[in-house]
C-alpha cells in the first residue's frame, strides 16, 4: 500500500491549547489533516462544572491559535458539539470570532447527525468560506437516515461521512465494543461505506483505539483498500506515532473473527476497561491512554453500565 493512497486525520484536544503550537509544527512535516476537538475530549464525566470549564478553555484555544498565525500547510478541521448541545451555538460563535483573528479552517466535523437540516444549518453560518461539512454517523438514527441525508444534499456540501464507533456502541448498548478484527465491527461499518460510495462521497474510518498495535492498523487499512473502490483510504488517529504514518513493506491480511459471547469474557473485559480508565485518566481530558489502548469515555460508561447490570 502506497503512502500517498492514505489520508490521515489526527484528533487533537484543545484543552491544553498552548502546547499545541509545538505539536502542530511537528505535524506540518507529515501529510496529516488536523481535527481540533471541542467535543468529546473537552469533558469530565464526573463534574458538569468542570466540563463547562473545559469547553470554554477549548473555545479560547481557537482564538489563541488564530492569533499565533502559524501558517500551517496541514488542513485544519474543527469538531464542534452536536446541534442539541448547549455548547453548539457557543462553538459556532467562537469559530467566527477566531476567523476574525485570522483562523483558517477547511471544514467542520458535526457529531450525532440525524438529519440533513442539521448539516445545512451549520454550513449556512460559514457559507462564504465554502467549507467542507463532515457529518459523523454515530447513532442508530443517523445510520438509518444516512441515505436520506445524502439524497437531500443537492449542492454537495457534504464531502465525507465519518463513522463514530464509540458513540454508536454506547447508543446501541453494545458490550463489548467490537474491535477492528471482529465481524461485528464490519457489520456496522459496511453499510455506511456502501451508502457513502453510492452517493460519491468519501468515507472516514472511526478512530483506531489500539495505540500500539501497528500491524492490526495497517491490516485494517489494507482491508478497506482491498474491499472498497476508494481513491484514498481516509482514517483517523487519536495518538501520534510514526509507525501509524509509514506503511510497512509487508502488510498482512486482516484476520476477522466473531466476538466471544462468553459471560466471563464480557465481565473480565468490562472490569479491565473500568479499572484502566480510572487509573490512567487525565484531569484535563475525558479519555484515558493505557499502555495499549485509547479508552473513550463512552467505553468506560458502557463497561460501568454492564457491570452494574450483571451484579
Amino acid at each position: 500500500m502506497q503512502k500517498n493512497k492514505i489520508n490521515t486525520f489526527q484528533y487533537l484536544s484543545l484543552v491544553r491549547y498552548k502546547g499545541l503550537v509545538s505539536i502542530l509544527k511537528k505535524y506540518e512535516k507529515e501529510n496529516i489533516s488536523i481535527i481540533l476537538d471541542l467535543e468529546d475530549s473537552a469533558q469530565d464525566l464526573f463534574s458538569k462544572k468542570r466540563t463547562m470549564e473545559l469547553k470554554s478553555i477549548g473555545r479560547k484555544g481557537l482564538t489563541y491559535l488564530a492569533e499565533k498565525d502559524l501558517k500551517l500547510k496541514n488542513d485544519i478541521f474543527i469538531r464542534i458539539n452536536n446541534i442539541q448541545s448547549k455548547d453548539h451555538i457557543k462553538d459556532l460563535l467562537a469559530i467566527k470570532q477566531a476567523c476574525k483573528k485570522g483562523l483558517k479552517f477547511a471544514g467542520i466535523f458535526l457529531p450525532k447527525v440525524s438529519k440533513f437540516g442539521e448539516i445545512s444549518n451549520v454550513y449556512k453560518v460559514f457559507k462564504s468560506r465554502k467549507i467542507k461539512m463532515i457529518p459523523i454517523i454515530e447513532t442508530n438514527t443517523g445510520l438509518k437516515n444516512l441515505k436520506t441525508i445524502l439524497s437531500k444534499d443537492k449542492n454537495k456540501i457534504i464531502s465525507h461521512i465519518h463513522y463514530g464507533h464509540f458513540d454508536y456502541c454506547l447508543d446501541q448498548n453494545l458490550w463489548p465494543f467490537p474491535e477492528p478484527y471482529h465481524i461485528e465491527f464490519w457489520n456496522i461499518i459496511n453499510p455506511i461505506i456502501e451508502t457513502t460510495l453510492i452517493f460519491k462521497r468519501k468515507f472516514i474510518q472511526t478512530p483506531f483505539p489500539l495505540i500500539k498495535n501497528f500491524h492490526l492498523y495497517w491490516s485494517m487499512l489494507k482491508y478497506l483498500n482491498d474491499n472498497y473502490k476508494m481513491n484514498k483510504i481516509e482514517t483517523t488517529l487519536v495518538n501520534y506515532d510514526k509507525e501509524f504514518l509509514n506503511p510497512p513493506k509487508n502488510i498482512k491480511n486482516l484476520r476477522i473473527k466473531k466476538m466471544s459471547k462468553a459471560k466471563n469474557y464480557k465481565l473480565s473485559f468490562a472490569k479491565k476497561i473500568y479499572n484502566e480508565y480510572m487509573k490512567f485518566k487525565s484531569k484535563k481530558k475525558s479519555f484515558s491512554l493505557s499502555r495499549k489502548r485509547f479508552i473513550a469515555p463512552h467505553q468506560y460508561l458502557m463497561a460501568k453500565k454492564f457491570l452494574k447490570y450483571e451484579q
Side-chain angles (χ1 to χ4, degrees):
M1 186 183 299
Q2 298 297 315
K3 188 175 181 178
N4 60 9
K5 174 79 174 178
I6 303 159
N7 186 24
T8 303
F9 292 80
Q10 175 73 55
Y11 273 103
L12 291 176
S13 174
L14 278 160
V15 297
R16 293 177 176 172
Y17 57 81
K18 292 184 179 180
L20 283 182
V21 175
S22 59
I23 293 173
L24 288 169
K25 287 181 179 179
K26 178 173 64 176
Y27 283 121
E28 193 174 18
K29 300 175 183 178
E30 306 289 350
N31 182 28
I32 295 178
S33 298
I34 303 298
I35 308 171
L36 299 176
D37 186 30
L38 292 170
E39 195 214 11
D40 283 342
S41 65
Q43 64 174 314
D44 187 328
L45 295 181
F46 311 105
S47 171
K48 290 184 178 180
K49 180 181 178 182
R50 182 59 180 154
T51 293
M52 290 175 61
E53 292 172 353
L54 292 173
K55 298 287 187 188
S56 178
I57 290 169
R59 288 188 283 268
K60 289 177 183 177
L62 288 177
T63 300
Y64 176 85
L65 293 176
E67 290 175 340
K68 288 295 179 180
D69 191 24
L70 298 175
K71 292 184 172 62
L72 299 171
K73 296 178 182 178
N74 313 74
D75 285 338
I76 301 295
F77 294 82
I78 305 168
R79 179 167 70 168
I80 62 176
N81 288 279
N82 73 80
I83 203 163
Q84 285 81 28
S85 167
K86 294 179 180 179
D87 290 285
H88 179 75
I89 297 298
K90 294 177 183 178
D91 291 350
L92 297 180
L93 292 173
I95 295 170
K96 292 185 75 173
Q97 184 63 33
C99 287
K100 291 178 182 178
K101 299 286 186 179
L103 177 70
K104 295 179 181 179
F105 68 104
I108 286 180
F109 281 70
L110 183 61
K112 298 181 179 66
V113 168
S114 62
K115 53 188 177 182
F116 179 71
E118 298 167 351
I119 304 163
S120 60
N121 286 344
V122 174
Y123 181 77
K124 289 173 185 176
V125 176
F126 305 102
K127 190 173 182 179
S128 62
R129 295 182 175 272
K130 296 181 179 179
I131 61 170
K132 296 176 181 178
M133 291 300 303
I134 304 176
I136 308 177
I137 301 302
E138 48 191 351
T139 65
N140 193 46
T141 302
L143 196 157
K144 287 182 177 179
N145 293 343
L146 182 55
K147 287 184 180 179
T148 302
I149 290 169
L150 289 169
S151 65
K152 288 186 176 182
D153 184 24
K154 305 300 183 184
N155 295 319
K156 294 188 176 181
I157 64 174
I158 298 172
S159 62
H160 302 70
I161 294 296
H162 183 27
Y163 170 57
H165 188 58
F166 305 118
D167 263 297
Y168 181 84
C169 291
L170 182 62
D171 179 70
Q172 291 298 288
N173 287 306
L174 300 180
W175 188 260
F177 288 11
E179 305 279 23
Y181 50 81
H182 286 138
I183 290 172
E184 293 83 355
F185 179 86
W186 294 100
N187 285 345
I188 301 167
I189 294 175
N190 286 337
I192 299 174
I193 298 177
E194 289 169 359
T195 301
T196 300
L197 296 182
I198 286 171
F199 285 89
K200 298 181 179 179
R201 302 303 198 278
K202 298 174 182 177
F203 172 78
I204 303 176
Q205 178 65 303
T206 191
F208 186 73
L210 304 171
I211 58 176
K212 293 297 180 182
N213 199 331
F214 311 117
H215 293 296
L216 176 61
Y217 176 75
W218 288 108
S219 293
M220 179 188 73
L221 296 192
K222 184 178 186 299
Y223 180 87
L224 286 168
N225 185 61
D226 292 346
N227 288 277
Y228 300 98
K229 295 180 180 178
M230 295 188 279
N231 292 328
K232 278 187 177 289
I233 304 302
E234 316 255 356
T235 184
T236 48
L237 295 172
V238 291
N239 66 304
Y240 178 81
D241 195 308
K242 288 197 173 184
E243 294 283 349
F244 286 124
L245 303 178
N246 300 305
K249 291 182 179 180
N250 298 310
I251 303 175
K252 295 181 179 180
N253 289 327
L254 183 64
R255 298 179 64 181
I256 302 176
K257 64 180 183 179
K258 285 187 177 182
M259 274 201 310
S260 172
K261 294 182 180 180
K263 186 176 180 180
N264 286 343
Y265 163 70
K266 292 182 178 182
L267 277 171
S268 63
F269 191 63
K271 290 176 182 177
K272 177 181 178 181
I273 291 298
Y274 180 91
N275 291 331
E276 289 192 352
Y277 181 87
M278 296 302 295
K279 180 178 180 180
F280 295 106
K281 184 186 176 300
S282 165
K283 290 183 179 180
K284 289 192 174 183
K285 294 178 181 178
S286 65
F287 56 85
S288 288
L289 287 175
S290 69
R291 288 188 295 272
K292 296 181 179 181
R293 180 182 293 275
F294 169 86
I295 305 174
H298 322 71
Q299 195 171 21
Y300 161 79
L301 288 171
M302 196 61 224
K304 182 179 178 182
K305 184 176 182 179
F306 181 82
L307 291 170
K308 182 179 179 181
Y309 175 78
E310 289 299 322
Q311 293 172 356

